Amino acid sequence: MVTRGFTGRPKGAEPTNRIPPGQHLVDYFPVLSAGPTPRIEPENWRFTLKVGPRPIKTWSWDEFNALPMTKMVRDIHCVTTWSMLDTQWEGVLVDDILADAFIEPPTGFTLAHSFDGYSTNVPTADLTTGKAMVALKYAGKPLERDHGGPARLLVPHLYFWKSAKWVNGLQFTERDEAGFWELRGYHIYGDPWREQRYTSD
Amino acid sequence: MSDNDGSAADLGWQNARIIRIEPRTATIKSFFFQLPVPLRHRAGQHVDVRLTAPDGYTAMRSYSIASAPDGTDIIELAIERIETGEVSPFFDDVAAVGDDIELRGPLGGHFVWRPADAGPLLLIGAGSGLVPLLAMLRQRRDVDSDTPAALLLASRTWSDVLYADELLVESERPHGMQLRFALSRQAPQRPQDYGRRIDAAMLAEVIGLLPAAPAAVFICGSNGFVNTAADAVLAAGVHATAVRTERYGG
């Protein structure tokens, strides 16, 4: 339905095939989160890989920073409709985390967990083969707390709630188990190009 | 208790008709929509609004529902004009009574309050961040809840205070909530209010108005405001899991 009197794109906004339907570009990095912003000191930081309930390996901050670092430039899309192009990230590929634990992807699904109790589910195939990382830097600087620092998951091809802030572990699961927002009305997969915003989309 | 019910129930787009527009402050107006399919929302939830241009371009934004879940087919949204926005200026300049606007909801299953939830209830808002909190206060009033509650509302000046008259009335009735205003650019209008930005000492005082530590805290405003308020609430001894936040500008 055309909205009476709505003329469309604001002046200066360039249509681009890099912006998914229903999204718009922003020129700053918005902050969204469901609770207080946690403070995590490096000495208290841990990252744990689990298969089901079983811990496979845990890294300290120093151990994690000794893993191979990879840079990624990606477009990101938040379900609240903002998008940013060419965001610059640096961190450890999920592939390299698995390699350091000497395991192949053990199951088809993964739950990412965070220090504040947040969780989100992603098919394991969407995390591996260079698709996702645990990011430690944004735009060349240590990741700020507001944006998930010291470390957040980065799964740039899915809506950004999948890129869990303050991530402290990945848990491989046999079934696709809904995470925090997925239990609260948001889509189980979250592909921005298919506008999978809410459960019924 | 589960957050997971109904939040994905009535999600189809519908054409909602604007039946009334009321200016609230210099930059905020309330829009009352009549819905073909009434929403069964919970206080604190939002709707997505979609505008479509003749060339097919769409712009979509989320707006919190100001009205309480009241079983009617009318909802109220309070929309603040953001100069750099593409949706809120349309509402301020163009939208008129009788227009049909596409919206869907209710959305959001976390920043929600139900009368059966444990109290006391602490609400902290800045500017238009009051809107989802107002839905909670309105429902609390409508169901005659005796859950102890307090609202701390930050605004720049008295003329920027949203729903000031309604809040004052609500605070003065039996079982009304405790109410404190914090004005950052004007002296307080009542002796019990504050003429400064929020801080930890202020939050400690407001929490002290409640008969016990708050079991649920809802904070809504800009990211900087939410961080300040959340840190102050944690410093007062409230556990992080009791604190729910909604940050706008995203």
Side-chain angles (χ1 to χ4, degrees):
Chain A
M1 181 191 80
V2 172
T3 311
R4 183 195 68 81
F6 181 62
T7 51
R9 286 180 186 82
K11 286 189 180 67
E14 293 185 23
T16 157
N17 57 10
R18 290 167 65 183
I19 304 177
Q23 297 292 114
H24 68 284
L25 284 182
V26 292
D27 56 6
Y28 66 104
F29 196 164
V31 176
L32 298 166
S33 71
T37 305
R39 282 175 204 280
I40 305 140
E41 302 303 331
E43 59 267 32
N44 299 324
W45 190 89
R46 296 286 182 279
F47 187 89
T48 302
L49 212 55
K50 288 184 180 178
V51 177
R54 188 164 52 94
I56 299 295
K57 180 160 181 158
T58 297
W59 292 261
S60 69
W61 180 248
D62 288 342
E63 289 163 349
F64 200 81
N65 276 269
L67 297 179
M69 293 291 157
T70 300
K71 292 181 178 177
M72 262 188 197
V73 177
R74 293 287 186 278
D75 301 343
I76 58 175
H77 311 290
C78 176
V79 71
T80 65
T81 73
W82 59 262
S83 292
M84 294 173 77
L85 303 183
D86 299 322
T87 59
Q88 301 171 2
W89 302 88
E90 189 171 347
V92 183
L93 291 178
V94 173
D95 302 307
D96 289 326
I97 298 171
L98 292 173
D100 195 58
F102 292 104
I103 60 170
E104 295 289 322
T107 66
F109 301 97
T110 305
L111 265 175
H113 295 280
S114 298
F115 278 89
D116 61 339
Y118 184 80
S119 60
T120 188
N121 55 302
V122 184
T124 305
D126 287 86
L127 295 177
T128 53
T129 59
K131 292 195 188 77
M133 65 163 48
V134 171
L136 309 177
K137 288 185 176 178
Y138 171 73
K141 295 184 182 144
L143 189 58
E144 292 175 15
R145 281 173 62 219
D146 269 349
H147 294 301
R152 80 180 296 165
L153 188 65
L154 177 69
V155 194
H157 64 288
L158 300 180
Y159 280 127
F160 216 47
W161 86 78
K162 297 286 186 180
S163 293
K165 293 180 177 183
W166 312 299
V167 69
N168 68 355
L170 295 177
Q171 178 183 21
F172 296 97
T173 59
E174 294 294 336
R175 293 175 299 115
D176 197 6
E177 297 182 20
F180 182 90
W181 284 121
E182 294 82 5
L183 283 170
R184 291 164 176 79
Y186 288 79
H187 197 273
I188 195 76
Y189 183 65
D191 180 354
W193 293 99
R194 289 184 277 169
E195 269 208 276
Q196 294 173 334
R197 299 178 191 275
Y198 305 110
T199 305
S200 56
D201 285 344
Chain B
M1 182 204 103
S2 164
D3 283 322
N4 181 24
D5 61 272
S7 50
D10 308 312
L11 278 188
W13 291 101
Q14 51 176 317
N15 294 330
R17 179 150 302 174
I18 299 175
I19 57 168
R20 190 153 61 94
I21 301 173
E22 274 188 33
R24 296 290 184 194
T25 70
T27 56
I28 301 175
K29 290 176 182 169
S30 278
F31 294 80
F32 294 82
F33 293 88
Q34 187 153 32
L35 307 170
V37 182
L39 301 188
R40 291 165 293 154
H41 72 282
R42 284 177 282 154
Q45 286 190 293
H46 63 271
V47 293
D48 278 357
V49 171
R50 180 168 72 183
L51 309 181
T52 303
D55 68 356
Y57 174 76
T58 61
M60 192 164 66
R61 295 294 185 281
S62 299
Y63 292 104
S64 294
I65 302 169
S67 40
D70 55 10
T72 72
D73 60 350
I74 294 168
I75 62 165
E76 176 186 358
L77 306 181
I79 298 180
E80 178 169 29
R81 181 187 180 99
I82 309 294
E83 277 311 324
T84 55
E86 55 179 338
V87 174
S88 64
F90 165 85
F91 274 100
D92 197 27
D93 295 337
V94 180
V97 169
D99 283 350
D100 284 340
I101 301 289
E102 280 185 297
L103 61 77
R104 69 168 174 170
L107 300 165
H110 181 62
F111 199 84
V112 293
W113 178 77
R114 277 176 290 207
D117 290 350
L121 173 66
L122 175 61
L123 308 176
I124 308 167
S128 60
L130 171 67
V131 173
L133 312 179
L134 181 69
M136 299 176 192
L137 289 169
R138 286 172 161 176
Q139 185 176 28
R140 181 177 171 280
R141 174 196 65 201
D142 292 350
V143 304
D144 203 19
S145 162
D146 57 6
T147 298
L151 169 68
L152 174 61
L153 178 59
S155 305
R156 278 170 297 188
T157 69
W158 182 248
S159 64
D160 294 312
V161 176
L162 260 181
Y163 302 98
D165 293 344
E166 181 175 343
L167 293 175
L168 288 168
V169 167
E170 175 61 12
S171 72
E172 284 158 13
R173 73 170 178 88
H175 297 301
M177 84 298 197
Q178 298 286 336
L179 175 63
R180 293 292 182 271
F181 296 107
L183 303 182
S184 60
R185 296 188 196 169
Q186 192 180 7
Q189 303 293 293
R190 306 182 303 162
Q192 64 269 48
D193 290 332
Y194 303 95
R196 64 181 199 263
R197 294 180 180 278
I198 63 156
D199 54 38
M202 188 187 299
L203 258 303
E205 283 183 19
V206 172
I207 288 171
L209 300 172
L210 295 166
V217 182
F218 293 88
I219 307 173
C220 185
S222 67
N223 179 55
F225 174 85
V226 169
N227 276 341
T228 301
D231 285 347
V233 168
L234 299 183
V238 176
H239 197 270
T241 54
V243 181
R244 299 176 186 214
T245 64
E246 192 153 277
R247 300 151 198 259
Y248 52 61

